[in-house]
């Protein structure tokens, strides 16, 4: 589903130096899989996500999604790829206060020109599946942190993406909420046949992942459970 092939991305740093942000990374995530990626600050995680989201062009190598080279898309096609084929989950602060859980979850469909009636109809079962049946009409600021995170997950899945990138989705949750969200993500990946790449510092995530990688100085290595995962800096 997602295939990252020998990806390289260097930045020109002040002083004429070159930062090898991504330095030959290959990996894949199949449908139904949740692959976790650990890495300390500065290891290249954001750069890798942006390359996969076709927000940056690699110096060499390529990203394939469902067999298509998304590294070669025009800016317009790349935006469409992000809107339609990709879901993106970050921290719960991205829920819009003042709007209901239901309306918040429809935003991505509206962005894809789905009418609001149809959008609401489409996201309602997803919100119910995520345990928010009694929260549909609650405004975002009336929801708990974990509930807000689940609204964002519904939004990310609403367009039936084949690939979801999750960037520290449990970053603002306590241990127990974090477990809940991870359990939910694993189940959703399987049931919705989504390929999910989870970038995280959460040591609990490894237990839920199909595979775990570690990024260090732009290079990927197998994560070994004996070594403690890289902690935030
Ligand atoms: P992470 O997300 O793991 O913190 P990043 O992908 O943001 O890592 O950064 C990887 C490396 O690339 C770091 O050394 C960072 O300073 C450098 N870097 C990131 N973006 C730029 C940029 N636009 N210009 C120059 N260097 C950059
Ligand atoms: P910056 O890192 O400069 O703050 P952004 O806020 O645009 O840039 O993006 C931060 C992170 O969010 C990146 O890792 C990027 O891949 C991801 N991102 C932002 N918007 C999207 C999107 N629509 N689809 C996929 N990834 C996104």
């Amino acid at each position: 589903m997602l295939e990252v092939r020998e990806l390289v991305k260097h930045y020109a740093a002040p002083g004429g130096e070159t930062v090898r942000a991504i330095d030959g990374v290959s990996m894949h995530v199949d449908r139904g899989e949740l692959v976790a990626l650990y890495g300390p600050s500065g290891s290249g995680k954001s750069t890798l996500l942006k390359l996969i989201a076709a927000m940056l062009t690699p110096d060499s190598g390529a990203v394939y999604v469902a067999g298509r080279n998304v590294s070669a898309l025009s800016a317009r096609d790349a935006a469409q790829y992000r809107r339609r084929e990709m879901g993106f989950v970050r921290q719960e602060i991205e829920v819009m206060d003042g709007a209901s859980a239901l309306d918040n979850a429809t935003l991505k469909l509206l962005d894809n020109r789905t009418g609001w009636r149809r959008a609401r109809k489409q996201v309602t079962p997803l919100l119910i599946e995520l345990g928010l049946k009694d929260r549909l009409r609650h405004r975002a600021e009336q929801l708990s942190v974990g509930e807000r995170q689940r609204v964002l997950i519904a939004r990310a899945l609403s367009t039936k993406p084949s690939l979801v990138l999750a960037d520290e989705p449990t970053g603002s949750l306590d241990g127990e909420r974090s477990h809940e969200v991870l359990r939910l993500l694993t189940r959703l990946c399987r049931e919705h046949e989504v390929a999910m790449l989870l970038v995280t510092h959460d040591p609990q995530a490894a237990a839920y992942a199909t595979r775990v990688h570690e990024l260090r100085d732009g290079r990927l290595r197998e994560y070994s459970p004996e070594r403690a995962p890289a902690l935030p800096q």
Side-chain angles (χ1 to χ4, degrees):
M1 183 47 240
L2 167 68
E3 194 187 344
V4 171
R5 214 179 283 167
E6 294 173 26
L7 212 54
V8 175
K9 180 70 185 178
H10 295 174
Y11 294 112
E17 278 173 57
T18 302
V19 180
R20 301 158 80 88
I22 291 296
D23 199 17
V25 167
S26 297
M27 64 178 298
H28 70 97
V29 187
D30 291 332
R31 279 183 182 279
E33 285 189 330
L34 185 150
V35 171
L37 180 68
Y38 286 119
S41 181
S43 61
K45 302 182 302 292
S46 305
T47 302
L48 181 60
L49 285 184
K50 286 183 186 168
L51 289 164
I52 295 171
M55 298 167 92
L56 276 179
T57 310
D59 295 328
S60 63
V63 175
Y64 296 86
V65 174
R68 181 163 70 136
N69 181 352
V70 302
S71 303
L73 297 177
S74 67
R76 197 169 144 222
D77 289 346
Q80 192 177 75
Y81 150 68
R82 280 191 294 276
R83 265 200 318 273
R84 295 199 182 152
E85 289 171 62
M86 242 194 60
F88 184 67
V89 184
R90 226 179 339 199
Q91 294 187 11
E92 47 77 34
I93 44 170
E94 299 194 345
V95 191
M96 207 167 72
D97 282 342
S100 67
L102 187 56
D103 284 340
N104 258 292
T106 60
L107 291 180
K108 194 170 173 225
L109 282 167
L110 298 184
D111 216 25
N112 276 297
R113 297 168 188 275
T114 305
W116 66 268
R117 258 177 229 281
R118 223 177 101 209
R120 283 182 170 188
K121 220 170 171 171
Q122 256 171 268
V123 295
T124 300
L126 254 178
L127 288 165
I128 293 172
E129 189 182 346
L130 284 156
L132 297 170
K133 187 166 189 279
D134 302 324
R135 297 285 183 275
L136 300 180
R137 307 275 165 193
H138 284 56
R139 287 198 308 279
E141 65 273 25
Q142 299 171 316
L143 302 173
S144 73
V145 176
E147 288 167 347
R148 290 159 67 93
Q149 185 58 277
R150 283 182 272 155
V151 170
L152 289 186
I153 295 169
R155 186 196 288 170
L157 291 171
S158 64
T159 56
K160 301 190 179 11
S162 39
L163 169 68
V164 170
L165 303 180
D167 189 0
E168 288 284 0
T170 61
S172 46
L173 305 179
D174 64 27
E176 200 174 319
R177 301 294 160 265
S178 170
H179 263 302
E180 265 173 36
V181 165
L182 288 166
R183 204 177 306 127
L184 206 58
L185 288 175
T186 323
R187 205 188 77 211
L188 290 167
C189 273
R190 266 202 317 269
E191 288 175 5
H192 293 254
E193 298 188 318
V194 166
M196 185 172 300
L197 181 63
L198 174 72
V199 170
T200 186
H201 284 119
D202 190 341
Q204 297 179 344
Y208 292 89
T210 318
R211 275 189 302 289
V212 184
H213 295 295
E214 198 175 336
L215 197 60
R216 289 278 168 142
D217 299 326
R219 289 165 176 269
L220 213 59
R221 53 187 202 187
E222 280 314 310
Y223 166 75
S224 79
E226 304 89 63
R227 267 201 326 263
L231 292 169
Q233 293 179 351

